[in-house]
Amino acid sequence: MHPIRFKLSVTLVLASFSLLRVLPTVADDGRPNIILIFTDDQGYQDLGCFGSTTIKTPNLDAMANEGVRLTNFYAQPVCGVSRAALMTGSYPIRVGEPGNVKRLHTVPHPQETTIAEMLKTAGYATGIIGKWHLGLSGPAGDDASTMPNAQGFDYFYGTPRYNGATVYVDDSKLRSPILRNQEVVVEAVADWDHITADYTREAIKWIEAKRDQPFFLYLAHNMPHIPLGASENFKGKSAGGFYGDTIEELDWSCGQIFETLKRLNIDEKTLVVFTSDNGPWVETTRAMQPDAAAFIPRDHSGNADPLRGWKMSAWDGGCRVPFIARWPGMIPAGWTSAELLSTMDLMPTFAKLAKAKRPTVTIDGKDGSDFLLRKTPTSPRNEYFYYSGCLLTGVRSGQWKLVLPRAKSPQGLGWWGRMIEAVPESMLFDLEADPGETTNVASQHPQTVTELMKRIEWARTELGDLDRTGSGARMFEKGPRKLQVSPRRKVSAK
């Protein structure tokens, strides 16, 4: 070979190796790609690996066999509130909102830090495909400063809010748009039969485009929130009815994601988490009153068994949800844990794994990375506070759950207060022995009640309650905290 050509070839090879060294690939430093799959209104039992006998979920069952399944994982009891806790790593009552208004669906203030913003500063590509439901909207449309592209996401494809609040699309004049970043690509969704397949195609395209750098994909499905939808390959096929059809298509979608990761040779570089925003929306009659008008047919909503309650309720069925995590070679395969963890813990967990800097403000999430990787058998979370809007309704610590007295349909909770039942006295439940919260054992364990009440008082002081602003609540604007729906009567702090 001519000496000049040889020298040029060597130079090109060395330059190629140099380029490879500076590309932010997962292989360089062990940081995983992160895919968070978040379903909408899926019940605790609505997977085969969580006990369903009518809904088939082979891909998610395989995911559980290849990773970890958590049986005491907590979200929040309603959609927007749950997404705020997830994105900020904080109890929603702590999260700052525009105008200092505590809304029924939390809207994080633009100065709040999201998971996407945190990971973006660590060099991650960030994308959300699906439902956002954390934006501020008004007569002029959505406030851009509260939408995904202003909250750390490079790419957004999906719905700005929920898909509806009626059983069928034609039951309401509401028609949701679908956006791609700031552009409206579908002005009004006429039916939801193809939304899961649509999101799956978008997700695969985005993964393919970002495979050569660390990425965070938040795949926030609209299903199985009403109005339901399932494509031709799934509609009418599940023994779990129309609701089962939607879950089985979601399971198919997860299978497509895993096939894509394997095809691109990034499966072992990718952490995938699957969970739901809250429990199933079970409301066969309005507020479940025996004399009220019929509302959601039973085959249009899921199952939280063996838990008590459902979406919007203050029982565990409202906020305890299925959770599966898989990262081949890093998360040991096939184990189950009853340790506590929550959506709030995902932010600091992802921060540790991605070598990203956590927000400088106080958050409520705990770093669960060593627990999920099974370097330690115990979770960093030892308690969970139950909030319905800004109303503190109880606390869990270990096996014990203390439920506070409350009125039926408490004031200040707006439309979701209708699902809150009256509790005349403090109640203590052993959730290990009694997950259905059927037997009050407070009189048998007075010391436990006393200790849990100390934690309740801490939460009231630090986080707040319906009648008070917590000392740790974030407010980015002048003036006091305001409730979107003000109580018409004083709520006791006792």
Side-chain angles (χ1 to χ4, degrees), residues 412-439:
L413 271 62
W415 49 267
W416 64 324
R418 70 180 186 267
M419 303 300 287
I420 307 296
E421 302 168 66
V423 174
E425 61 181 354
S426 294
M427 304 176 77
L428 181 71
F429 299 102
D430 179 350
L431 293 183
E432 286 184 3
D434 179 24
E437 301 175 75
T438 63
T439 305

Side-chain angles (χ1 to χ4, degrees), residues 466-477:
L466 196 65
D467 64 343
R468 67 184 69 181
T469 301
S471 61
R474 292 191 286 273
M475 288 183 286
F476 298 100
E477 300 177 27

Side-chain angles (χ1 to χ4, degrees), residues 41 74-79 81 277-283 287-288 304 307-320 384-389 391 393-394 401 403 406 409-410 413 415-423 435-437:
D41 291 2
Y74 284 88
Q76 299 289 321
V78 172
C79 304
V81 181
D277 66 342
N278 46 250
W281 190 352
V282 179
E283 195 172 1
M288 297 299 283
L307 310 178
R308 179 176 180 176
W310 33 70
K311 177 182 177 177
M312 294 182 277
S313 77
W315 307 107
D316 259 37
C319 55
R320 197 160 139 195
Y384 172 86
F385 293 103
Y386 297 81
Y387 276 93
S388 293
L391 177 65
T393 63
K401 177 179 180 180
V403 176
R406 60 177 181 259
S409 302
L413 271 62
W415 49 267
W416 64 324
R418 70 180 186 267
M419 303 300 287
I420 307 296
E421 302 168 66
V423 174
E437 301 175 75

Side-chain angles (χ1 to χ4, degrees), residues 120 128 132 144 146-156 180-182:
K120 188 172 181 178
I128 169 175
W132 177 234
T146 63
M147 294 295 284
N149 294 126
Q151 295 282 49
F153 286 98
D154 303 323
Y155 181 76
F156 169 46
R180 177 173 278 110
N181 298 318
Q182 311 297 327

Side-chain angles (χ1 to χ4, degrees), residues 342-364:
S342 78
T343 52
M344 296 179 290
D345 304 319
L346 295 179
M347 170 181 263
T349 299
F350 293 167
K352 177 67 173 297
L353 297 174
K355 301 179 182 178
K357 291 184 179 180
R358 292 168 50 162
T360 56
V361 298
T362 299
I363 65 172
D364 300 295

Side-chain angles (χ1 to χ4, degrees), residues 35-47 49-50 60 63 68-87 131 218-226 228 243 246-247 250 254 272-282 301-304 307 310-312 316-325 341-346 350 384:
I35 299 176
L36 173 58
I37 302 172
F38 211 53
T39 58
D40 195 351
D41 291 2
Q42 182 170 3
Y44 182 80
Q45 199 190 65
D46 295 332
L47 296 174
C49 56
F50 274 82
L60 287 164
M63 180 183 178
V68 59
R69 184 176 69 99
L70 301 184
T71 58
N72 281 301
F73 186 82
Y74 284 88
Q76 299 289 321
V78 172
C79 304
V81 181
S82 187
R83 290 155 207 275
L86 169 71
M87 281 290 115
K131 173 181 173 180
Y218 176 36
L219 179 52
H221 285 286
N222 286 76
M223 293 296 110
H225 191 296
I226 58 172
L228 297 179
Y243 179 90
T246 69
I247 300 296
L250 290 170
C254 292
V272 182
V273 170
F274 176 94
T275 190
S276 174
D277 66 342
N278 46 250
W281 190 352
V282 179
S301 58
N303 196 330
L307 310 178
W310 33 70
K311 177 182 177 177
M312 294 182 277
D316 259 37
C319 55
R320 197 160 139 195
V321 291
F323 176 94
I324 308 169
L341 208 67
S342 78
T343 52
M344 296 179 290
D345 304 319
L346 295 179
F350 293 167
Y384 172 86

Side-chain angles (χ1 to χ4, degrees), residues 116-124 356-357:
E117 288 173 313
M118 177 189 75
L119 293 175
K120 188 172 181 178
T121 62
Y124 275 64
K357 291 184 179 180

